[in-house]
Amino acid sequence: PSSTSPRQLLFSLLFSRRELLHTMARVLIAFVCLFFAGHVSLLSEAKVPQVTCGSTVKLLHVRKNVRLHSHEVSYGSGSGQQSVTGVEESDDVNSYWTVRGAMGDPTCKRGVAIKCGGRLRLQHLSTNKNLHSHLFQSPLSQNYEVSAFGDNGKGDTGDNWIVLCSGKTWRRDSKVQFKHEDTDKYLYVSGQTYNHPIAGQYEVSAYHSTSPDTQWKVAESILIKPTEKPEKS
């Protein structure tokens, strides 16, 4: 039989090592995905019925069936800040928002249930900017613009929203509305969609009154277990 040269042997060992690393990586990714899926399922059960401070959620628009979304694409008009839209895809990581206390409110500790009528911020998980509104006009509907604003969660009072729901606390299976504290407008989806570069994504704006188009609910979520005994809703 022919002998194997040192060069061939080295190549064979490196190739085997690379394949082993790839296999290990695929197994690790699969394990993480399975664990994460099970974890989310577990935390979405009735055992954790309330949305709490520190929870990370996707918010689904009840009527249009789109998720509140943001990304590193700025408005070409108005404030020029990072745009906020609605997307139909359920698996986009850019649709996750973390529930924080309102600016200057120290009471929103991790695991504390969010009260109906309570003040909060929604921090975009991927970019660390806050859901924001102000007096600029929205690009399509000419309502009030909704953007993502701030650096690493630090913004201003335009990041504060009031969650409106029935009962005492925000339950993950209930319909809610978000009222902007500075402008008294409501988080809204008109149904109008953008063209390039965010083609097909829905405009999200702030509207002057409540309507079926201002209703939202929690979809996919990672809920922090309450630190206190849940209040009856």
Side-chain angles (χ1 to χ4, degrees), residues 99-103 108 114 118-122 159-163 170 178:
V99 180
R100 305 291 189 196
M103 183 178 179
C108 191
I114 301 295
R119 301 162 63 241
L120 53 74
R121 290 174 298 159
L122 293 170
D159 304 335
N160 292 341
W161 298 80
I162 299 169
V163 59
W170 177 7
F178 297 96

Side-chain angles (χ1 to χ4, degrees), residues 58 67-72 85 87 91-97 124-127:
K58 288 184 180 181
R67 287 160 175 78
L68 187 68
H69 180 88
S70 191
H71 37 228
E72 293 182 349
T85 62
V87 297
D91 58 354
D92 195 322
V93 71
N94 284 321
S95 300
Y96 276 114
W97 301 81
H124 189 238
L125 184 65
S126 298
T127 62

Side-chain angles (χ1 to χ4, degrees), residues 71-155:
H71 37 228
E72 293 182 349
V73 177
S74 298
Y75 286 120
S77 61
S79 69
Q81 294 173 4
Q82 183 171 299
S83 58
V84 172
T85 62
V87 297
E88 295 177 338
E89 294 78 13
S90 63
D91 58 354
D92 195 322
V93 71
N94 284 321
S95 300
Y96 276 114
W97 301 81
T98 301
V99 180
R100 305 291 189 196
M103 183 178 179
D105 181 6
T107 62
C108 191
K109 304 295 184 183
R110 180 180 173 88
V112 173
I114 301 295
K115 294 182 179 180
C116 294
R119 301 162 63 241
L120 53 74
R121 290 174 298 159
L122 293 170
Q123 183 179 344
H124 189 238
L125 184 65
S126 298
T127 62
N128 288 324
K129 294 182 182 295
N130 299 320
L131 187 69
H132 183 88
S133 191
H134 35 221
L135 298 179
F136 288 99
Q137 280 191 333
S138 59
L140 302 181
S141 63
Q142 309 303 304
N143 293 321
Y144 289 83
E145 183 188 271
V146 171
S147 64
F149 174 74
D151 294 310
N152 293 318
K154 295 180 180 179

Side-chain angles (χ1 to χ4, degrees), residues 12-22:
S12 177
L13 289 171
L14 288 175
F15 182 81
S16 298
R17 184 180 180 185
R18 185 177 65 180
E19 286 297 300
L20 177 61
L21 289 174
H22 284 179

Side-chain angles (χ1 to χ4, degrees), residues 132-208:
H132 183 88
S133 191
H134 35 221
L135 298 179
F136 288 99
Q137 280 191 333
S138 59
L140 302 181
S141 63
Q142 309 303 304
N143 293 321
Y144 289 83
E145 183 188 271
V146 171
S147 64
F149 174 74
D151 294 310
N152 293 318
K154 295 180 180 179
D156 59 28
T157 59
D159 304 335
N160 292 341
W161 298 80
I162 299 169
V163 59
L164 304 177
C165 48
S166 58
K168 292 184 177 181
T169 57
W170 177 7
R171 299 180 65 87
R172 66 171 187 83
D173 56 355
S174 64
K175 296 177 182 178
V176 298
Q177 298 180 87
F178 297 96
K179 183 178 181 181
H180 190 245
E181 189 172 50
D182 280 358
T183 63
D184 289 335
K185 310 305 178 189
Y186 299 86
L187 191 64
Y188 174 84
V189 177
S190 67
Q192 298 183 63
T193 58
Y194 290 104
N195 294 317
H196 183 77
I198 48 177
Q201 296 188 18
Y202 286 69
E203 182 194 59
V204 172
S205 62
Y207 192 61
H208 61 82

